Amino acid sequence: MTQPNILLITTDQQHYSTLGLNNADIETPNLDRLCSEGTRFDRAYCPSPVCTPSRASILTGQMPSQHGAWTIGVKLDEDITTIGELLHDSGYVSGLIGKAHFQPLVSTRFHKSIECQPTLRDLDFWACFEGPWYGFDHVEMSRNHADESHVGQHYALWLEEKGCTNWRDYFQPVPGDHAAKAPKVGVDPPQHDRFAAWELPDHLHYTTWTGERSAAFIERYAGKTPFFLWTSFHDPHPPYAVPEPWASMYDPDDMKPGAFKPGEFDAMPPHFAKTREIDPDFADWHDPQPAHGCHSHLHDVDQLRRNMAKYYGMVSFLDREVGRILDKLDALGITENTLVVFTTDHGHFLGQHGLIAKGPFHYEDLLRIPFIVRQKGRIPVGQTSQALQSLVDLAPSFLDAAGLPIPGAMQGVSQWPCWQGGDSVREGVICENRHNPVAPHAMSYVNHQHKITLYRTGEDGELFDLCADPDEVKNLWYRPECLPLRDAMLREMMQAVLASEPIRNPRQAVA
C-alpha cells in the first residue's frame, strides 16, 4: 500500500455548530466541500478544554495526565515521542505551520521556552530556526491571537517580506514597552469587543499567512516524499478582531447567541451559579492561578451578538484558506493519496448557559468539536457518523493509516477502520481538566447516551442524558432515582481510565 500524505488542519476554539452544512447562519463552502467529499463525525471530543494539553494530546497520542503539559503555562517536554517524529523515522517529511502553543509565555532556568518574549520578536533567531522541533522537520510559527502582544516568529518575518515593516503598530505592545505605539484597534477586557474592523489588511493577516505557507509546503514536497503537515489556524479564538471584508460579513442583528435559562444552575455545582454574579469570589479554591472562566459571565446581549458576528467572520475567513490548501492538493494531483482531517482543539461558548469563551464548565459546547475526515477512495463520501472520536486518537490513527505500528505508550485508539466506514471503536471518551490543580480539577466521561463529570474534591458532580436532554439543563447527579445510573457511569468511567493506561514495554518473559 502506498503511504498516504497526511494533512491535519486545526482551528482554535471552534464551536462544533459552525459548519455551513448544518448551520444556515454561517458560510463555510470549503468545509462543506470537505464534508461532501468525506465523512463528518458529529460526536468528536477534546481530551481537555484547554489549548496546550489538547494540542499536546494530538501530538503524542497521550492524555494530559500522561504527557505532562496539563494546562497552559506548562511546557511539553521536548524529549517526548511525537507523531511527527514517528512518521519522520518512517520516511515522511513532517511540518507544522501556524500556532503551536506547546510552551509557555515565560521561560525559566529549568524550563526553557522559545514561545515567549523577548524571543518571539527576535527575528534574527527565527530567521535561522525552522526545526527540527517536537519531531517536525520544518516549522513556521506564530503564537498570537488577533492583536495580542505575543506576536512575531516566522509570521513577522513574512510580514516584513511583504513590505509591512511597521507590523508592530497593528499589535499590542510588549508589556513594559512604554515607547510602543497603541495598536490600530484597542482592547476592552474581558470581552475584547471591536466596534470597528481591525485595520490590519486581510492579505497580511496570519490566517492568510497560514494558508499560503501551508500550500507552499505541500508544493515543495508533493510527489517527492510522503508528507505529514499540521496546518494550525489561530482563529476563531478571541479577541474578536478581524479585518474587512470579514468584520462586516455578518450582521450582529442576525446572530442568535445562546442564553441562560432561569433556574438551570439550581442543580449544578456552586461554581456555575457564581458566573451569574457581578463580582464573583472564587477565592475559596485557594489557587493563585485561577482558571479561565472564573469570573462574571454577565454580559450585554448586543455586545454578544457583535462578538458572535466577528467570530463567524473569523471562521469564514479561515474557510477561504482551507479552500486554498484543498485547491493546491487538486492542482498537484495528490488529492486521492492525501488523508485530510479537519478539527479544532476544543469548543467555545457564545452565550450557551449564559457562558462566554471557555472555563470549568463541561458542557457539549466546550468539549464537543467539529471533525471531518476525507480521502478519496478510502473514506465514505458525504456521510455523517455518530461514532465517538477523540483528539487523542489522531496520532495512532495516522500511524495505522500509514501502515506503521502504534507504540504502547499511546493511549488513543486507531480510528482508521472506523473512518473507512467500519463500526465505532470507542464505547466512551475521557476529558480531563487540570487547569487548576485543586478545583475545579475535573474529569468527564461521555458514552453514546450519557455524560458524567466528577471533581477532585467535594461531593458535587454532573450527569446528563444527552439523548433526552441535549441542551443539558437537567442535571441528574443529585436525583435519588438516578443513583443506579450514576454508579454505573462512575464504574464505566473508571474502567475507561484503567483501559487507557499506557503500556510502554510489552511483557517478554515470565520473570
Side-chain angles (χ1 to χ4, degrees), residues 266-289:
D266 292 351
M268 294 294 286
H271 65 280
F272 285 78
K274 287 185 177 183
T275 65
R276 308 300 300 166
E277 300 173 8
I278 295 176
D279 187 20
D281 182 11
F282 287 89
D284 57 324
W285 284 352
H286 306 293
D287 196 313
Q289 301 289 340

Side-chain angles (χ1 to χ4, degrees), residues 167-212:
W167 56 269
R168 294 169 184 82
D169 294 345
Y170 292 98
F171 298 89
Q172 296 287 327
V174 176
D177 185 359
H178 303 294
K181 296 180 181 179
K184 297 289 186 178
V185 180
V187 180
D188 295 324
Q191 282 290 87
H192 306 287
D193 180 51
R194 266 66 170 181
F195 290 90
W198 192 11
E199 291 187 17
L200 178 74
D202 81 326
H203 71 276
L204 296 176
H205 193 273
Y206 49 78
T207 293
T208 302
W209 166 76
T210 302
E212 178 183 301

Side-chain angles (χ1 to χ4, degrees), residues 183-401:
K184 297 289 186 178
V185 180
V187 180
D188 295 324
Q191 282 290 87
H192 306 287
D193 180 51
R194 266 66 170 181
F195 290 90
W198 192 11
E199 291 187 17
L200 178 74
D202 81 326
H203 71 276
L204 296 176
H205 193 273
Y206 49 78
T207 293
T208 302
W209 166 76
T210 302
E212 178 183 301
R213 298 308 303 155
S214 295
F217 178 94
I218 292 169
E219 185 163 21
R220 179 178 177 181
Y221 293 107
K224 300 174 183 177
T225 180
F227 64 79
F228 166 56
L229 173 62
W230 183 351
T231 293
S232 179
F233 288 103
H234 308 63
D235 286 344
H237 191 293
Y240 302 106
V242 67
E244 295 291 7
W246 317 100
S248 59
M249 182 174 181
Y250 297 97
D251 187 340
D253 291 339
D254 295 334
M255 296 293 99
K256 306 179 184 70
F260 174 75
K261 296 179 174 63
E264 70 168 292
F265 289 165
D266 292 351
M268 294 294 286
H271 65 280
F272 285 78
K274 287 185 177 183
T275 65
R276 308 300 300 166
E277 300 173 8
I278 295 176
D279 187 20
D281 182 11
F282 287 89
D284 57 324
W285 284 352
H286 306 293
D287 196 313
Q289 301 289 340
H292 278 73
C294 294
H295 53 70
S296 175
H297 286 245
L298 297 175
H299 49 266
D300 179 80
V301 175
D302 289 336
Q303 184 180 43
L304 182 56
R305 289 194 181 100
R306 290 192 294 269
N307 290 341
M308 189 172 184
K310 295 291 198 304
Y311 185 89
Y312 275 25
M314 290 175 172
V315 175
S316 290
F317 186 5
L318 67 88
D319 177 84
R320 186 194 73 180
E321 293 305 307
V322 170
R324 181 206 295 257
I325 297 168
L326 298 181
D327 289 345
K328 178 59 69 173
L329 297 178
D330 290 344
L332 294 172
I334 59 173
T335 297
E336 290 190 4
N337 194 41
T338 301
L339 171 63
V340 180
V341 174
F342 173 88
T343 188
T344 193
D345 54 358
H346 56 80
H348 185 78
F349 290 112
L350 286 163
Q352 296 89 351
H353 308 280
L355 302 171
I356 54 175
K358 60 188 173 188
F361 318 106
H362 283 199
Y363 289 115
E364 292 288 277
D365 304 281
L366 191 61
L367 303 190
R368 191 171 152 200
I369 53 178
F371 198 94
I372 310 166
V373 183
R374 186 195 77 173
Q375 186 182 358
K376 292 188 176 181
R378 303 302 299 269
I379 308 298
V381 173
Q383 299 295 307
T384 301
S385 172
Q386 300 300 313
L388 295 170
Q389 307 285 315
S390 173
L391 294 180
V392 77
D393 299 335
L394 286 176
S397 301
F398 291 157
L399 291 172
D400 198 5

